[in-house]
Amino acid sequence: MAAPKTAVSDAKQERVRRRRRQVLQAATRLMQVSGFHSMSMQAVADEAKMSVGLIYQYFGNKEDVLRAVIVDILEDFRDEVPAALDAAGADPVKRLSNGFRVFCQVVDAKRAATVLTYRESKTLTPEGLEQIKHLELETTEPIRQAVRDGVEAGVFADVDAELVVHNLLMCAHGWALKHWHLSEYLTLEQYIERELAMLLASIRPAG
Amino acid sequence: MAAPKTAVSDAKQERVRRRRRQVLQAATRLMQVSGFHSMSMQAVADEAKMSVGLIYQYFGNKEDVLRAVIVDILEDFRDEVPAALDAAGADPVKRLSNGFRVFCQVVDAKRAATVLTYRESKTLTPEGLEQIKHLELETTEPIRQAVRDGVEAGVFADVDAELVVHNLLMCAHGWALKHWHLSEYLTLEQYIERELAMLLASIRPAG
Amino acid sequence: MAAPKTAVSDAKQERVRRRRRQVLQAATRLMQVSGFHSMSMQAVADEAKMSVGLIYQYFGNKEDVLRAVIVDILEDFRDEVPAALDAAGADPVKRLSNGFRVFCQVVDAKRAATVLTYRESKTLTPEGLEQIKHLELETTEPIRQAVRDGVEAGVFADVDAELVVHNLLMCAHGWALKHWHLSEYLTLEQYIERELAMLLASIRPAG
Amino acid sequence: MAAPKTAVSDAKQERVRRRRRQVLQAATRLMQVSGFHSMSMQAVADEAKMSVGLIYQYFGNKEDVLRAVIVDILEDFRDEVPAALDAAGADPVKRLSNGFRVFCQVVDAKRAATVLTYRESKTLTPEGLEQIKHLELETTEPIRQAVRDGVEAGVFADVDAELVVHNLLMCAHGWALKHWHLSEYLTLEQYIERELAMLLASIRPAG
DNA sequence: AATGAATGAGACTTCATTCAT
DNA sequence: CATGAATGAAGTCTCATTCAT
């Protein structure tokens, strides 16, 4: 009796996952274009090729969809950035460089989504806000650790790791937030190279 | 006969200015709390202690209010930041330092407003967007020039002035955008000092 | 003491008349274009080159303006049509013909105004309605009398004068009401000639 | 699988038809009383016993409702008048007489609606206006043909069919437009008889 | 599980009317 | 006498959410 129940349960969970993904992708597409408030639930349903009623079986309300969209985006960051660090070996400089490089690349791939998180975060409930703050910290934690390691090892000056990571984050996000300006004279690769040079210069041990 | 006419005209212009200011202040207060879309025109009217109809005598529509609010904020920046540089003498390092310091101080004084510009800019029409992009460039132009001067004088490395200013801007804005995190362990002064140290380190001429 | 008072009174009455006329002309122009409800009092004020407040010194409210506009139009008809008959001599056929001809010409000259009376009459209060009904009867009364005279004299068949005048009225108004169609293939003169021929044929004594 | 699909589709189409009819009847009732502009969408919803929102599922906007109301009225005319001619045999006099008689009867049955079309047509967009002009021509076309036939057969004088139909139309509409006056001394039947007599007299062959 | 018709609150905006100057 | 700034009620339309099928 347990087996079929679980099988059914699995199938159900799989459908739930699929449906939620459909909705999130549709909502993300729409919000990137015109923001949360201009997106109607009917439009989400159309884009997701399902009925409005069905969305409400998988999400409590419209704000719940927003929260899920933003969390979804930030989870992508959290999954991809640390993973890149694992592949970067032990050298703090390399880990930091790789972290920044990957971060910028992910931001570039999800530029509209990145801007979206800045645009709509304040619309969330306090709980939602807490969740996304936690996710951001999780995402950057491995880089933070790399900076601490580098400081300890003496390859970096005695800088505030928290602040270095903050700068690195703003710098990566900056590529999306100020893309209208930056893209006029820089490619992503140029941006990464030059910013990285300045970033490393800013924390190299005093000569 | 010209005199009274002018007097009347002056009184009228003064009232227009006062009314617009009333509306903008009310709208800014409300938007900082809950965003553009959650702010009803009735709420603005109540907050500004006037009738809804009157708002429409001074602003074409709701989006026009938003544009004016954002422009108002950015004009404050444009007026205060360059003014601080004028008082900083000729030394590029001093000018850059002062620019950054003042920028951060103004951001801190208008933290909610700064966040607001990031949150609602995309809601604007293309014309509004152009206007605010222009204002941002105007605001930072004197700093950009200071960097160029420093590079030319050899007190800075041969860095991309555009990019340095971009970093400086993101850094100042970052104080508002990530205040929930930064304020847990830093005061504004500490933030300015440490960021300034890294900023200068990042562009000091190679040993 | 009576003399200057009367002089003042006369000057005042003259101004009142002038102001009212300004308003009525402006309102008529605007209503002909887009109807009573789409016409704002501010627009009337602008068109009449005076302030909104002043309109309210000469008219009780917006509907009062409408009533006056329609009455004004109908008074024109009442003044011009009977006057033409006075000049037509005693022959009933001539009087009828002239009456119709003039009626059509006045309608043509005030086509938009004629349509306006059909469009907006129902908007009036019952009193206003009574007034315009009375004016319409007054306008056509001389023609009605001409028909009665003609019947009595045996130059017309024993027709219902009331109905003949009704037909004549609808026919004249018809030039304005169906101008979109009639003007495609008839000039006003052709319309008058042909309609007059049929009108007279319809009431000539049985051969 | 096709069967249930069609059944569903049929049920849906039926509901759409029913809803639209509900709205149109409610709106017609209200407009006949107080005109298009004085009719609020909330009032239509109340009268139609549905919610405002639902009206907008079946009509694009308020003007769309007006257009549909007028078209609905004119389609009734177009359906009933020509049908009566089909039953009137081949004799042009009989066809013309029947056409006029039926026209007047339909006008009488829809007196308020007839007045409504004169009152509110100008409120329509150019497209709506074109549509109703076309409907009016369609409605009268069979009568126009009967007149042409009569002229050709020599039972009518060589009159302008277009103009005869125009007169007939104005005459039928006149029963509604001037009902306040006509009904004081005539029944519908009397009106039809007398007008018909004059109409035929006006086009009988000379001598 | 899935649909989408239906609801109704609430948003923006206009405009007739008043009244202090 | 004349102005036009100010009011606020009322209108149109949208859209999140529910629920019968």
Side-chain angles (χ1 to χ4, degrees):
Chain A
M1 226 154 119
K5 212 174 183 176
T6 304
V8 166
S9 211
D10 279 2
K12 176 175 173 171
Q13 280 191 6
E14 170 52 25
R15 186 177 49 232
V16 169
R17 228 191 317 278
R18 201 179 65 242
R19 290 300 199 191
R20 285 185 61 97
R21 183 132 307 274
Q22 264 180 287
V23 174
L24 291 183
Q25 287 176 351
T28 303
R29 275 194 295 272
L30 292 173
M31 280 195 225
Q32 287 178 359
V33 173
S34 45
F36 175 70
H37 287 96
S38 306
M39 173 192 82
S40 73
M41 291 301 268
Q42 184 61 61
V44 179
D46 292 348
E47 179 85 14
K49 292 190 206 308
M50 64 175 75
S51 65
V52 252
L54 198 53
I55 296 179
Y56 281 86
Q57 288 215 334
Y58 298 102
F59 295 89
N61 51 36
K62 194 185 173 190
E63 198 185 81
D64 196 23
V65 175
L66 172 62
R67 191 190 50 70
V69 162
I70 294 184
V71 165
D72 194 50
I73 294 166
L74 295 182
E75 280 179 349
D76 270 5
F77 279 93
R78 184 205 51 195
D79 293 345
E80 298 192 31
V81 174
L85 285 208
D86 286 350
D91 174 30
V93 175
K94 214 153 188 195
R95 288 176 69 82
L96 179 63
S97 303
N98 253 45
F100 178 69
R101 180 181 306 278
V102 169
F103 210 142
C104 286
Q105 284 164 346
V106 179
V107 163
D108 185 61
K110 301 174 194 297
R111 236 165 44 217
T114 303
V115 175
L116 183 61
T117 64
Y118 275 85
R119 187 180 185 184
E120 305 294 358
S121 289
K122 288 286 172 64
T123 308
L124 295 175
T125 55
E127 297 82 51
L129 255 173
E130 272 316 306
Q131 195 178 357
I132 70 168
K133 286 174 180 175
H134 182 73
L135 274 166
E136 190 163 291
L137 292 179
E138 259 190 290
T139 306
T140 50
E141 182 49 34
I143 305 181
R144 197 173 286 109
Q145 189 55 51
V147 176
R148 282 197 213 97
D149 292 347
V151 171
E152 199 142 326
V155 289
F156 296 152
D158 184 21
V159 289
D160 181 341
E162 206 66 65
L163 217 51
V164 172
V165 170
H166 162 72
N167 287 351
L168 180 154
L169 181 83
M170 292 310 302
C171 199
H173 286 174
W175 174 251
L177 292 171
K178 302 295 179 192
H179 193 257
W180 56 269
H181 184 211
L182 297 172
S183 66
E184 283 178 354
Y185 62 96
L186 285 176
T187 64
L188 172 66
E189 276 314 309
Q190 290 171 326
Y191 184 72
I192 292 174
E193 289 320 314
R194 297 183 192 184
E195 285 289 8
L196 199 48
M198 287 198 279
L199 176 64
L200 292 174
S202 76
I203 60 176
R204 77 184 159 205
Chain B
M1 220 150 128
K5 210 171 184 178
T6 304
V8 166
S9 207
D10 279 3
K12 176 173 175 169
Q13 279 189 5
E14 169 53 24
R15 190 182 37 241
V16 169
R17 231 193 315 279
R18 199 179 68 243
R19 290 302 199 190
R20 285 185 62 98
R21 182 134 308 277
Q22 263 180 286
V23 173
L24 290 184
Q25 287 177 351
T28 303
R29 275 193 295 273
L30 293 172
M31 280 195 225
Q32 287 178 358
V33 174
S34 44
F36 174 70
H37 287 97
S38 307
M39 171 193 84
S40 73
M41 290 303 270
Q42 184 60 64
V44 178
D46 293 348
E47 180 83 15
K49 291 191 205 311
M50 64 175 74
S51 64
V52 243
L54 197 53
I55 298 178
Y56 283 87
Q57 201 136 74
Y58 297 101
F59 295 90
N61 51 36
K62 195 185 172 188
E63 197 185 83
D64 195 25
V65 174
L66 172 62
R67 192 191 49 72
V69 162
I70 294 185
V71 165
D72 196 49
I73 294 167
L74 296 183
E75 280 179 348
D76 271 3
F77 279 92
R78 185 205 51 192
D79 294 344
E80 298 193 30
V81 173
L85 284 209
D86 285 351
D91 175 30
V93 175
K94 214 156 186 190
R95 287 175 71 84
L96 180 63
S97 303
N98 252 45
F100 178 69
R101 180 181 307 278
V102 169
F103 211 143
C104 286
Q105 283 164 347
V106 180
V107 164
D108 186 60
K110 302 174 192 297
R111 238 165 42 217
T114 304
V115 175
L116 183 62
T117 63
Y118 275 85
R119 188 179 184 185
E120 305 293 358
S121 289
K122 292 286 171 65
T123 307
L124 294 175
T125 55
E127 295 83 52
L129 219 70
E130 270 317 304
Q131 196 178 359
I132 70 169
K133 286 174 181 177
H134 183 73
L135 275 167
E136 191 164 290
L137 292 178
E138 257 191 293
T139 307
T140 50
E141 182 49 33
I143 304 180
R144 197 171 287 110
Q145 189 56 49
V147 176
R148 282 196 214 99
D149 293 346
V151 171
E152 201 143 325
V155 287
F156 296 151
D158 184 20
V159 288
D160 181 341
E162 206 67 64
L163 216 52
V164 171
V165 170
H166 162 73
N167 288 348
L168 180 154
L169 182 83
M170 292 310 302
C171 199
H173 286 171
W175 175 251
L177 293 170
K178 303 294 179 190
H179 193 255
W180 55 271
H181 182 212
L182 297 171
S183 67
E184 282 178 352
Y185 63 95
L186 285 175
T187 65
L188 173 66
E189 277 313 310
Q190 290 171 326
Y191 183 73
I192 292 174
E193 289 318 316
R194 297 184 192 183
E195 285 288 12
L196 200 47
M198 288 197 279
L199 175 65
L200 292 174
S202 75
I203 61 174
R204 77 186 157 204
Chain C
M1 226 153 115
K5 209 173 184 177
T6 303
V8 166
S9 210
D10 280 1
K12 176 174 173 172
Q13 278 190 7
E14 171 51 25
R15 187 178 48 233
V16 168
R17 228 192 318 279
R18 201 180 64 242
R19 291 299 199 193
R20 284 185 62 97
R21 182 132 309 273
Q22 265 180 287
V23 173
L24 291 183
Q25 286 176 352
T28 303
R29 275 193 295 273
L30 293 174
M31 280 196 225
Q32 286 177 1
V33 174
S34 45
F36 174 70
H37 287 95
S38 306
M39 173 193 81
S40 74
M41 292 301 269
Q42 184 60 62
V44 178
D46 293 348
E47 180 84 15
K49 293 190 205 310
M50 63 176 73
S51 66
V52 253
L54 199 50
I55 297 179
Y56 281 86
Q57 289 215 334
Y58 298 102
F59 295 90
N61 52 35
K62 194 185 172 189
E63 198 185 83
D64 196 24
V65 174
L66 172 62
R67 191 190 50 69
V69 162
I70 294 184
V71 164
D72 194 50
I73 294 167
L74 295 182
E75 280 179 349
D76 270 5
F77 279 93
R78 186 205 49 194
D79 294 344
E80 299 193 30
V81 175
L85 284 208
D86 287 350
D91 175 29
V93 176
K94 217 155 185 194
R95 288 175 70 81
L96 180 62
S97 303
N98 252 43
F100 178 70
R101 181 180 307 277
V102 169
F103 210 143
C104 286
Q105 284 163 347
V106 180
V107 164
D108 186 60
K110 302 173 193 298
R111 237 165 43 218
T114 304
V115 175
L116 184 61
T117 64
Y118 276 85
R119 188 180 185 184
E120 304 293 0
S121 289
K122 290 284 170 66
T123 309
L124 295 176
T125 54
E127 298 80 53
L129 254 172
E130 272 317 306
Q131 195 177 359
I132 69 168
K133 287 175 182 175
H134 182 72
L135 275 167
E136 192 164 288
L137 292 179
E138 259 190 290
T139 306
T140 50
E141 183 49 32
I143 305 181
R144 197 173 287 110
Q145 189 55 51
V147 176
R148 282 198 212 97
D149 293 346
V151 171
E152 200 141 326
V155 288
F156 295 153
D158 182 22
V159 289
D160 181 341
E162 204 67 64
L163 217 52
V164 172
V165 170
H166 163 72
N167 287 351
L168 181 153
L169 182 82
M170 292 311 302
C171 200
H173 286 173
W175 174 251
L177 293 171
K178 301 295 178 191
H179 194 257
W180 55 270
H181 183 211
L182 297 172
S183 66
E184 283 179 352
Y185 63 96
L186 286 175
T187 64
L188 173 65
E189 277 313 309
Q190 290 171 326
Y191 184 72
I192 292 174
E193 290 318 313
R194 296 184 193 183
E195 286 289 10
L196 199 47
M198 288 197 278
L199 177 64
L200 293 174
S202 75
I203 61 175
R204 77 184 156 203
Chain D
M1 224 149 128
K5 210 171 182 177
T6 304
V8 166
S9 207
D10 280 2
K12 177 173 175 168
Q13 279 190 4
E14 169 53 27
R15 189 181 40 241
V16 169
R17 231 192 315 279
R18 200 180 66 244
R19 290 304 198 189
R20 283 185 65 98
R21 182 134 308 275
Q22 263 180 285
V23 174
L24 289 183
Q25 288 177 352
T28 304
R29 275 193 297 272
L30 292 172
M31 280 195 225
Q32 287 177 358
V33 173
S34 44
F36 175 70
H37 287 97
S38 307
M39 172 193 83
S40 75
M41 290 303 270
Q42 184 60 63
V44 178
D46 292 348
E47 180 83 14
K49 290 189 206 310
M50 64 175 75
S51 63
V52 241
L54 197 53
I55 298 180
Y56 283 88
Q57 201 136 72
Y58 298 102
F59 295 90
N61 50 39
K62 196 186 172 188
E63 199 187 81
D64 196 23
V65 175
L66 172 63
R67 191 192 50 71
V69 163
I70 294 184
V71 165
D72 197 48
I73 294 168
L74 295 183
E75 280 180 347
D76 271 3
F77 279 92
R78 186 205 48 193
D79 294 344
E80 298 192 31
V81 174
L85 285 209
D86 286 351
D91 176 30
V93 176
K94 213 154 189 193
R95 287 176 72 82
L96 180 62
S97 305
N98 253 44
F100 178 68
R101 181 181 306 278
V102 168
F103 210 143
C104 287
Q105 285 164 345
V106 179
V107 164
D108 185 60
K110 301 173 192 300
R111 237 165 42 217
T114 303
V115 175
L116 184 62
T117 63
Y118 275 85
R119 189 180 184 185
E120 305 293 359
S121 288
K122 291 286 170 63
T123 309
L124 294 175
T125 55
E127 296 83 53
L129 219 71
E130 271 315 306
Q131 196 178 359
I132 71 168
K133 286 176 181 176
H134 182 72
L135 276 167
E136 191 164 289
L137 292 178
E138 258 190 294
T139 306
T140 49
E141 182 49 34
I143 304 181
R144 197 172 288 109
Q145 190 55 50
V147 176
R148 282 196 213 99
D149 293 346
V151 171
E152 199 143 327
V155 287
F156 296 151
D158 185 20
V159 288
D160 182 341
E162 206 67 63
L163 216 51
V164 172
V165 170
H166 163 71
N167 287 350
L168 181 154
L169 182 83
M170 291 311 300
C171 198
H173 286 171
W175 174 251
L177 293 170
K178 301 296 179 190
H179 194 256
W180 55 270
H181 183 212
L182 298 171
S183 67
E184 283 179 351
Y185 63 96
L186 286 175
T187 64
L188 173 65
E189 276 314 309
Q190 290 172 327
Y191 183 73
I192 293 173
E193 289 318 314
R194 297 183 192 183
E195 286 288 11
L196 200 47
M198 287 197 279
L199 176 65
L200 291 174
S202 75
I203 61 175
R204 76 182 159 208

